[in-house]
């Protein structure tokens, strides 16, 4: 875990934006209108999109930590869970290249994830009947059982992160996130 994934990464920077401390000329903070909170408000006024991006990054890190904690007892990482879900979503066993494209990652990342899932018995590599050079990835019965367990862990992680929101707020958030995800241009590697 790197420093950006630590719980402290979600806390506001005690020294203010960019690690700035109050200047010696102004002296120490004298009330609620001074100090890091005021600097934070000024930065938000100057760069609201930048602040929004920072909030999204912090939320993503928090969600990743919560999900990792929920998945740990099952013995799987969030990235492995995502790959397992993706393999299960295909009607026919996908190729490694199909998985890399769907997950928007480099093929080497898929190889590493498949290696770990294969070692745990959740997927298996199978030769393609039409081409000896192509390898297909098949989910096993163990993989399907793991997915059932993971759905519960995923719901628990979502509930924890969304707990402060009302049902109406969750619906609005879902719509906003869909608009962002659906509006993203395709990235070609």
């Amino acid at each position: 875990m790197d420093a950006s994934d630590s719980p402290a990464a979600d806390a506001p920077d005690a020294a203010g934006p960019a690690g700035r401390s109050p200047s010696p000329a102004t002296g120490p903070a004298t009330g609620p209108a001074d100090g890091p909170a005021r600097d934070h408000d000024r930065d938000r006024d100057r760069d609201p999109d930048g602040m929004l991006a920072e909030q999204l990054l912090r939320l993503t890190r928090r969600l990743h930590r919560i999900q990792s904690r929920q998945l740990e007892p099952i013995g799987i990482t969030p990235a492995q869970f995502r790959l397992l879900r993706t393999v299960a979503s295909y009607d026919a066993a996908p190729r490694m290249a199909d998985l890399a494209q769907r997950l928007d990652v480099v093929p080497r990342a898929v190889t590493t994830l498949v290696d770990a899932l294969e070692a745990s018995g959740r997927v298996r590599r199978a030769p393609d009947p039409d081409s000896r050079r192509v390898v297909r990835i098949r989910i096993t019965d163990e993989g399907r059982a793991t997915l059932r367990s993971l759905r519960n862990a995923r719901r628990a992680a979502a509930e924890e992160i969304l707990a402060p929101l009302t049902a109406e707020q969750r619906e609005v958030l879902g719509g906003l996130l869909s608009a962002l995800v659906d509006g993203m241009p395709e990235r070609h590697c």
Side-chain angles (χ1 to χ4, degrees):
M1 173 163 58
D2 65 26
S4 68
D5 288 338
S6 71
D10 288 335
D13 186 353
R20 291 190 313 255
S21 297
S23 73
T26 61
T30 57
D34 294 328
R38 185 172 172 188
D39 288 344
H40 185 268
D41 290 339
R42 264 196 309 254
D43 282 354
R44 182 179 303 165
D45 292 340
R46 284 188 286 224
D47 186 13
D49 290 342
M51 289 298 297
L52 186 57
E54 178 62 28
Q55 288 174 308
L56 288 170
L57 287 170
R58 288 174 52 202
L59 181 62
T60 300
R61 288 181 192 125
R62 184 178 299 155
L63 182 58
H64 183 78
R65 279 193 307 278
I66 291 169
Q67 188 174 28
S68 293
R69 188 177 67 237
Q70 296 285 344
L71 298 179
E72 187 176 6
I74 299 169
I76 195 167
T77 68
Q80 291 169 354
F81 174 33
R82 188 170 172 228
L83 181 80
L84 193 61
R85 258 192 2 246
T86 303
V87 170
S89 73
Y90 280 89
D91 291 332
R95 300 172 304 144
M96 300 278 261
D98 298 329
L99 294 168
Q101 183 177 12
R102 173 87 59 97
L103 295 170
D104 196 22
V105 298
V106 296
R108 177 70 191 128
V110 170
T111 300
T112 302
L113 293 170
V114 167
D115 288 346
L117 289 170
E118 189 173 40
S120 67
R122 294 178 172 123
V123 299
R124 67 179 175 84
R125 286 176 168 89
D128 185 294
D130 299 326
S131 174
R132 292 185 310 181
R133 294 179 3 184
V134 175
V135 174
R136 301 269 177 185
I137 307 303
R138 298 192 187 283
I139 190 166
T140 64
D141 289 341
E142 176 67 23
R144 285 186 192 83
T146 299
L147 275 179
R148 285 190 293 276
S149 298
L150 291 170
R151 285 188 190 102
N152 294 330
R154 187 176 188 199
R155 274 194 288 279
E159 183 56 41
E160 186 174 339
I161 199 86
L162 298 172
L165 302 180
T166 66
E168 294 81 20
Q169 289 172 322
R170 290 177 189 203
E171 189 174 329
V172 169
L173 178 61
L176 293 170
L177 291 173
S178 290
L180 288 173
V181 170
D182 295 343
M184 294 176 93
E186 287 296 316
R187 197 178 96 198
H188 300 286
C189 300

